[in-house]
Amino acid sequence: MSGKVRTSGPKGRIPALVAVLALLLLALAATAAAADGPVVKLSKSQAGTGGSITVSGSGWRANALLMMLICGQATPARGVVGGTNSCANSDGRAVTTDAKGSFGKKLPVSEPPVPCPCVVHVATVTGAKSQADAVLQVAGHAVEPLPAETAGGRLSVLTDTRLDGSGGLLTWFGAPPSRTLDFTVGNVGTSAVKNPVFQVGTSHGVFAPQWEEQEWRGTIEPGRKARIELPVDLAAGAHGDYTVSLKYSGKVLAEQPWGVGRPWGVTLFWVLVCVVVPAALFRIGMAVVDRVRPRRAGGLRHRGLRLPELSLHRPKFTISRTPAEAPTAASTLPWFTPDSDPGTAGRLSAPHDDSQPSPSAPTGPTTPTRKGST
């Protein structure tokens, strides 16, 4: 009986080890890419005004809306020092990532309002904040060194920002919405920070935020933290999706979305105005027309379809009587009319004399009669 016996030697184990190592390297590369966050790449590192470049990115959130801007006074290490005020906002472009978090779109090259060094700044518009920068040299644009970093105390946001408060009845009728921006900062520098001045900005949609400086009264020692509350107000009647941004020393520290409801009370007010005012004008007009309309014969005015007022009057009968006559009690009964009064029926049928004999006429045997005296 003969047979073959398989033996496993070093030559059979090498391909399996190579496959396992390749899988490990791919997993490590994916982990490193995820740890690095979103990435932005440019088709050209230098371009002049009037041209265009292709901006591509990967590692972003799926189906995220992004904004691409060319900004001055910025580097990938320090970010955009002056915020979006240092960017060419009018020539920015919006782009949406695909299901894998990638995108690619052309961006026109324009000069930012501040000198270079310049970058292409890409940041999310809604949702969780993510941003990335890529170096771009704008040909012919001035170049100046970045402002030196301030030594000493530095503040960093330690907790997520939140908006406290709610709207009331006045806000429902168009009053300015207001909230309180609540967050905690820590001093990661080497010296104390006294009365820090923050910049709070509010933006609607893709528009640049409107910044307002607010001073917090207090001192934050090195290595300490403090809870800070800053008021945030919008214009009267504001509604829609807003974004509240917090900036300190020219660097944006946090952003918080704010959904403002529509002031339906204002809409209800205008609906009532559109209904009540025309009805009142119609009533006034009808009253004027009724007053200036000429009278008809008999002194009555004609008023549309209104039926003439009918009044039932009880017929009155007047019987001329002599002063000596007095009404009898039977004629005053309510169930008899002058025509059916039994006390007066004979009188109305034929005239006769009801006069009483005069008391002054003498009655006696001396009065002559028709037969003669006796």
Side-chain angles (χ1 to χ4, degrees), residues 37-287:
V39 179
V40 174
K41 296 181 180 180
L42 307 179
S43 61
K44 300 178 184 178
S45 61
Q46 181 177 358
T49 304
S52 63
I53 57 175
T54 301
V55 183
S56 59
S58 60
W60 297 84
R61 191 172 67 252
N63 301 322
L65 179 62
L66 308 178
M67 190 67 182
M68 304 185 301
L69 298 171
I70 297 179
C71 305
Q73 291 289 302
T75 60
R78 293 186 58 180
V80 182
V81 177
T84 54
N85 292 332
S86 303
C87 306
N89 296 309
S90 59
D91 294 325
R93 292 293 185 270
V95 64
T96 304
T97 60
D98 55 16
K100 297 181 180 180
S102 303
F103 71 92
K105 190 172 184 178
K106 286 189 176 182
L107 176 67
V109 179
S110 58
E111 295 183 354
V114 295
C116 285
C118 300
V119 298
V120 174
H121 179 71
V122 182
T124 55
V125 177
T126 59
K129 179 184 177 183
S130 299
Q131 60 184 12
D133 300 324
V135 178
L136 174 66
Q137 297 179 3
V138 180
H141 193 57
V143 179
E144 294 182 2
L146 294 176
E149 292 184 334
T150 57
R154 292 184 302 165
L155 298 181
S156 177
V157 177
L158 302 180
T159 60
D160 294 336
T161 58
R162 69 175 186 270
L163 292 173
D164 295 336
S166 60
L169 181 61
L170 295 179
T171 306
W172 197 70
F173 280 96
S178 61
R179 296 290 188 275
T180 300
L181 184 63
D182 191 346
F183 58 96
T184 302
V185 297
N187 188 353
V188 296
T190 58
S191 61
V193 177
K194 184 178 181 181
N195 299 334
V197 178
F198 297 92
Q199 288 182 310
V200 179
T202 55
S203 60
H204 184 52
V206 297
F207 294 98
Q210 302 293 327
W211 299 100
E212 179 183 359
E213 292 186 353
Q214 297 188 18
E215 182 180 4
W216 182 78
R217 306 293 296 180
T219 303
I220 306 175
E221 299 294 336
R224 300 294 182 88
K225 61 182 180 179
R227 180 182 176 182
I228 298 178
E229 297 180 352
L230 300 176
V232 182
D233 298 326
L234 298 179
H239 62 277
D241 295 330
Y242 285 81
T243 301
V244 180
S245 304
L246 177 67
K247 185 164 62 174
Y248 178 74
S249 297
K251 184 178 180 180
V252 178
L253 300 181
E255 291 182 346
Q256 179 69 29
W258 183 9
V260 184
R262 182 180 294 273
W264 292 107
V266 179
T267 305
L268 178 61
F269 170 78
W270 286 113
V271 169
L272 291 178
V273 168
C274 294
V275 173
V276 173
V277 172
L281 294 177
F282 176 77
R283 296 284 297 178
I284 294 173
M286 291 300 297

Side-chain angles (χ1 to χ4, degrees), residues 333-355:
L333 297 178
W335 51 83
F336 291 111
T337 61
D339 295 335
S340 61
D341 190 352
T344 60
R347 298 180 183 180
L348 295 178
S349 59
H352 61 277
D353 187 10
D354 291 337
S355 60

Side-chain angles (χ1 to χ4, degrees), residues 263-353:
W264 292 107
V266 179
T267 305
L268 178 61
F269 170 78
W270 286 113
V271 169
L272 291 178
V273 168
C274 294
V275 173
V276 173
V277 172
L281 294 177
F282 176 77
R283 296 284 297 178
I284 294 173
M286 291 300 297
V288 172
V289 170
D290 182 67
R291 185 164 295 274
V292 301
R293 180 177 295 173
R295 294 175 177 270
R296 286 190 171 186
L300 297 177
R301 294 193 183 97
H302 178 69
R303 299 192 61 180
L305 298 177
R306 178 176 293 184
L307 296 177
E309 298 181 357
L310 300 178
S311 59
L312 298 177
H313 298 280
R314 181 179 176 181
K316 296 182 180 180
F317 296 91
T318 304
I319 302 175
S320 59
R321 298 176 180 175
T322 59
E325 293 178 349
T328 61
S331 62
T332 60
L333 297 178
W335 51 83
F336 291 111
T337 61
D339 295 335
S340 61
D341 190 352
T344 60
R347 298 180 183 180
L348 295 178
S349 59
H352 61 277
D353 187 10

